[in-house]
Amino acid sequence: MARRIFVGDVQGCREELERLLQKVRFDPEADELLPVGDLVNRGPDSLGALRLLRDLAARGVLGNHDLHFLQVHAGRRSKRRRDTLDELLAADDCDELAGWLARRPFLRVWDDLYLVHAGLHPEWSDPARELDGVDPIEPGAKAVFAARVRRCDPAGGQPADEDRAAAAYRPWFEYYDAAAHGGRTVVFGHWAMRGLVNEPHLRGLDTGCVWGGKLTAWIAEEDRLVHVDAARRYAKVE
Ligand SMILES: [Mn+2]
């Protein structure tokens, strides 16, 4: 049976991604590979991770680090001190890889699932309508919300400082009412400090591989989580 295999934030952890794919016995002929975004940056091998995901015809969605890379590649934004994108940016096939990555959407929708990198706005009754046809080089506020949100208020307002957020700012998913969205489960990443979220209608898969945690897959058809440990800690938590 064809499986949808979702993978948490890879962030250049190519070796762990390979181990995870072996562990789930990924079959490129049958299975669909769906990374939650943030394929690149902070980790050791963004180039290798991107080539592998491209070769395996991964689908998935864009994350904030993917947007950052695409904007740096397009000359619209400067590199940051903690970026680990130099090898990727210098590669002969960088343009091709960036073009492939830029064709990922910000949201994927099935009858039973949504896939989004960070989260959904509390006031969106139809997220597909809000996030359709976004250009990753100029994504606009809605797509940036979907790629970055952790905490917000009931109107989607976000704190200036996540770490000092007042109680009015709750994790975005506390506002998510699956019944208003056809009973869909939301698959997402982006919140390594929060770690695995495995609650009714929520599968949060960022288990901080790049910080020395784990890389996590969720196989939708089996409702099964599979992890591999990071080989080491590649980056320090801010
Ligand atoms: Mn992220």
Side-chain angles (χ1 to χ4, degrees):
M1 185 181 73
R3 302 178 300 172
R4 289 168 295 177
I5 300 178
F6 296 85
V7 176
D9 305 47
V10 172
Q11 299 207 247
C13 294
R14 192 248 327 137
E15 182 194 322
E16 287 81 359
L17 176 61
E18 288 181 352
R19 277 197 275 125
L20 185 62
L21 294 173
Q22 283 171 12
K23 197 165 175 180
V24 301
R25 299 174 188 274
F26 175 70
D27 176 359
E29 301 294 313
D31 298 330
E32 188 173 13
L33 184 56
L34 293 154
V36 303
D38 283 358
L39 311 184
V40 300
N41 211 3
R42 300 285 163 80
D45 189 5
S46 291
L47 176 59
L50 213 45
R51 283 176 176 161
L52 176 61
L53 288 162
R54 189 266 324 267
D55 291 348
L56 295 175
R59 302 186 74 196
V61 290
L62 291 168
N64 54 303
H65 283 287
D66 305 316
L67 292 183
H68 176 65
F69 158 64
L70 290 171
Q71 290 167 2
V72 170
H73 174 260
R76 301 291 283 271
R77 208 168 163 167
S78 31
K79 287 191 284 185
R80 294 191 197 133
R81 187 175 52 85
R82 283 154 25 89
D83 288 349
T84 58
L85 297 167
D86 288 347
E87 192 192 10
L88 170 58
L89 288 164
D92 289 344
D93 54 349
C94 183
D95 289 353
E96 188 192 330
L97 291 165
W100 175 81
L101 185 63
R103 291 192 292 278
R104 308 308 90 194
F106 285 82
L107 175 78
R108 289 188 188 270
V109 183
W110 293 262
D111 287 347
D112 57 341
L113 301 175
Y114 288 129
L115 171 62
V116 66
H117 177 63
L120 299 174
H121 192 289
E123 294 182 336
W124 291 347
S125 59
D126 181 0
R129 192 182 60 210
E130 308 291 348
L131 296 172
D132 189 39
V134 177
D135 173 359
I137 304 301
E138 294 186 26
K142 290 177 180 176
V144 168
F145 185 97
R148 297 199 77 101
V149 66
R150 291 189 182 110
R151 297 175 190 277
C152 62
D153 65 26
Q158 292 174 268
D161 180 348
E162 292 265 357
D163 296 330
R164 293 161 204 269
Y169 298 101
R170 309 294 308 159
W172 68 268
F173 48 76
E174 293 189 13
Y175 308 107
Y176 179 68
D177 176 10
H181 292 272
R184 288 183 178 86
T185 289
V186 188
V187 185
F188 61 99
H190 185 63
W191 202 348
M193 291 291 280
R194 185 97 188 178
L196 184 71
V197 177
N198 185 19
E199 294 170 22
H201 302 293
L202 298 169
R203 297 291 181 279
L205 305 182
D206 187 355
T207 45
C209 188
V210 75
W211 315 114
K214 296 172 191 295
L215 187 63
T216 295
W218 180 61
I219 304 168
E221 279 62 33
E222 303 167 13
D223 191 12
R224 184 160 67 95
L225 292 158
V226 180
H227 312 275
V228 296
D229 291 326
R232 59 191 178 86
R233 189 172 73 174
Y234 300 104
K236 284 190 205 152
V237 180
E238 286 136 271

